[in-house]
Amino acid sequence: MGKLYFVTTPIGNLEDITLRALRVLKEVSLIAAEDTRETRKLLNHHSIKTSLISYYEKNKFSRLPQILKTLEDEDVALVSEAGMPGLNDPGYELVCAAIKAKIEIIVIPGPSAILATLSISGLPTSSFLFKGFLPRRKSERKTLLESLRSEKATLVFFEAPHRLRDSLSNIVEVLGDRKI
């Protein structure tokens, strides 16, 4: 039986990848990628010729059987567009299916946008709460923020550039004037 590798990829600079990650990406039979265009840039930069398929939000369920079939005999790597797969990116369903099928899952750690940013934020790092992407809808975003009003830990969110102003406005409105 093959192994499923969750391989962390660079979050900006293509050279921010571990030697172990490069070795695994060369050795597996198949790479399932959230964004094949971005992954292809990485693979080309490091002269890696491994077969590549897409595995993203809209096809993750239809791809599961193909990936599980490959894992019967061969190793597969899952990569996200940047950073750790499965962390606010596709991967959860694949992990669950692999666990159910008793497939070994190996994490290849590396760059993390959350930890990199938090470490230089000037905010307390001894306790933090990661909430992923803020909801797109204003009412849902405000409801989530309301639920965090009394939270003392540093709050960490992802946000799309085109929604940043609206989200920052909602944060000030709901959570008050605080260091972010």
Side-chain angles (χ1 to χ4, degrees):
M1 183 165 285
K3 295 177 181 138
L4 175 61
Y5 291 89
F6 267 50
V7 180
T8 308
T9 56
I11 55 175
N13 187 318
L14 292 177
E15 294 178 2
D16 289 343
I17 190 165
T18 68
L19 295 173
R20 183 175 176 216
L22 291 173
R23 179 184 55 77
V24 167
L25 291 174
K26 287 178 186 175
E27 292 177 356
V28 297
S29 298
L30 180 67
I31 299 171
E34 178 186 20
D35 185 332
T36 55
R37 296 164 300 182
E38 290 300 313
T39 302
R40 181 63 63 206
K41 289 178 195 173
L42 176 69
L43 299 179
N44 288 341
H45 183 80
H46 294 286
S47 302
I48 298 171
K49 306 293 185 207
T50 306
S51 295
L52 183 65
I53 62 166
S54 64
Y55 181 80
Y56 61 99
E57 192 61 33
K58 292 193 170 136
N59 79 352
K60 62 186 178 183
F61 293 109
S62 63
R63 284 285 193 204
L64 269 177
Q66 178 184 0
I67 294 169
L68 292 172
K69 179 74 174 154
T70 302
L71 283 164
E72 289 177 5
D73 303 308
E74 301 171 290
D75 295 339
V76 174
L78 176 67
V79 298
S80 67
E81 183 177 342
M84 175 60 71
L87 192 62
N88 236 82
D89 284 325
Y92 171 75
E93 293 82 5
L94 182 55
V95 166
C96 291
I99 290 169
K100 185 176 180 181
K102 299 187 180 351
I103 295 167
E104 184 177 358
I105 305 167
I106 300 169
V107 174
I108 309 299
S112 165
I114 298 164
L115 298 179
T117 303
L118 186 60
S119 70
I120 63 167
S121 69
L123 296 168
T125 58
S126 59
S127 177
F128 66 93
L129 177 62
F130 173 63
K131 295 300 286 184
F133 278 97
L134 288 169
R136 287 186 169 107
R137 291 191 172 128
K138 181 179 180 179
S139 62
E140 293 172 8
R141 189 167 50 239
K142 287 176 87 172
T143 298
L144 172 67
L145 292 169
E146 288 284 349
S147 75
L148 299 170
R149 189 187 296 268
S150 63
E151 179 60 56
K152 299 296 182 214
T154 296
L155 302 174
V156 180
F157 304 104
F158 283 160
E159 187 52 282
H162 64 279
R163 289 196 311 262
L164 187 57
R165 287 187 193 276
D166 289 340
S167 292
L168 289 173
S169 176
N170 294 148
I171 289 170
V172 169
E173 181 183 340
V174 175
L175 300 178
D177 187 16
R178 58 167 67 187
K179 188 174 179 183
I180 64 170

